[in-house]
């Protein structure tokens, strides 16, 4: 499955099976997206490949370590390797084609915007769960979804 930024200068490829999605409702993700939440997935390093545009990526970090990588041509948020983990953070909106993943987790619901209405589907976490807990939920849920599609 392929994904790219708004202008197409940064492009990447993902190997299936893809995990399910989460939405983060924290204030930083709201500012990053200009919306109620950020919808994304964590995918293992061995399932991710850059196709082109690494030289077009700039990065911004807050003093707390929050990171945002973006295309320096169109400003679109793009994937990045998450710190010292073996996971890439991938914004769901960049993926081309039909994505069968569903949102199965909502993060930082304690700090969501007062006008944000979270749907009924998905496990809610007051803050950020551990990467192990979140990764297990995203991958196990997708296996259940895929078995129902066959």
């Amino acid at each position: 499955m392929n994904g790219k930024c708004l202008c197409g200068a940064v492009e990447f490829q993902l190997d299936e099976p893809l995990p399910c999605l989460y939405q983060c409702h924290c204030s930083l993700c709201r500012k990053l997206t200009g919306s109620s939440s950020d919808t994304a997935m964590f995918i293992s390093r061995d399932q991710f490949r850059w196709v082109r545009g690494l030289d077009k990526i700039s990065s911004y970090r807050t003093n707390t370590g929050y990171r945002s990588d973006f295309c320096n041509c169109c400003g679109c948020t793009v994937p990045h390797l998450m710190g010292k983990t073996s996971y890439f953070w991938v914004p769901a909106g960049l993926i081309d084609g039909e994505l069968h993943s569903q949102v199965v987790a909502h993060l930082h619901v304690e700090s969501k915007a007062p006008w944000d209405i979270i749907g009924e589907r998905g496990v809610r976490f007051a803050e950020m769960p551990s990467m192990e807990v979140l990764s297990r939920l995203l991958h196990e849920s997708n296996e259940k979804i895929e078995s129902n599609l066959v």
Side-chain angles (χ1 to χ4, degrees), residues 10 13-14 18 21 30 36 38-39 43 48 56 61 70 72 76 81 86 89 93 121-122 124 126 130 135 140 149-150:
V10 177
Q13 191 171 55
L14 307 173
L18 299 180
L21 306 171
R30 290 195 312 269
S36 63
D38 164 46
T39 304
I43 191 161
F48 183 94
K56 305 288 188 212
R61 292 178 198 253
F70 55 93
N72 57 33
C76 185
L81 190 59
S86 61
W89 172 82
R121 181 177 291 164
R124 295 178 185 208
S130 71
S135 180
E140 286 175 357
L149 292 175
V150 178

Side-chain angles (χ1 to χ4, degrees), residues 75-91:
C76 185
T77 304
V78 297
H80 66 266
L81 190 59
M82 298 177 51
K84 297 177 182 178
T85 72
S86 61
Y87 293 101
F88 271 88
W89 172 82
V90 180

Side-chain angles (χ1 to χ4, degrees), residues 76-147:
C76 185
T77 304
V78 297
H80 66 266
L81 190 59
M82 298 177 51
K84 297 177 182 178
T85 72
S86 61
Y87 293 101
F88 271 88
W89 172 82
V90 180
L94 302 183
I95 299 171
D96 296 328
E98 190 171 339
L99 184 61
H100 294 289
S101 298
Q102 297 178 8
V103 174
V104 298
H106 295 275
L107 314 181
H108 291 282
V109 297
E110 291 288 319
S111 65
K112 74 176 188 62
W115 45 264
D116 182 6
I117 299 171
I118 298 173
E120 294 178 18
R121 181 177 291 164
V123 178
R124 295 178 185 208
F125 294 94
E127 296 180 354
M128 179 69 176
S130 71
M131 279 300 296
E132 293 79 23
V133 167
L134 184 56
S135 180
R136 186 172 52 248
L137 175 63
L138 299 179
H139 286 86
E140 286 175 357
S141 295
N142 196 49
E143 289 170 8
K144 293 175 187 174
I145 292 168
E146 286 182 353
S147 66

Side-chain angles (χ1 to χ4, degrees), residues 43-60:
I43 191 161
S44 67
R45 182 185 289 200
D46 60 341
Q47 289 181 270
F48 183 94
R49 281 180 306 290
W50 291 109
V51 174
R52 66 176 168 194
L54 271 172
D55 61 325
K56 305 288 188 212
I57 297 174
S58 295
S59 187
Y60 171 76

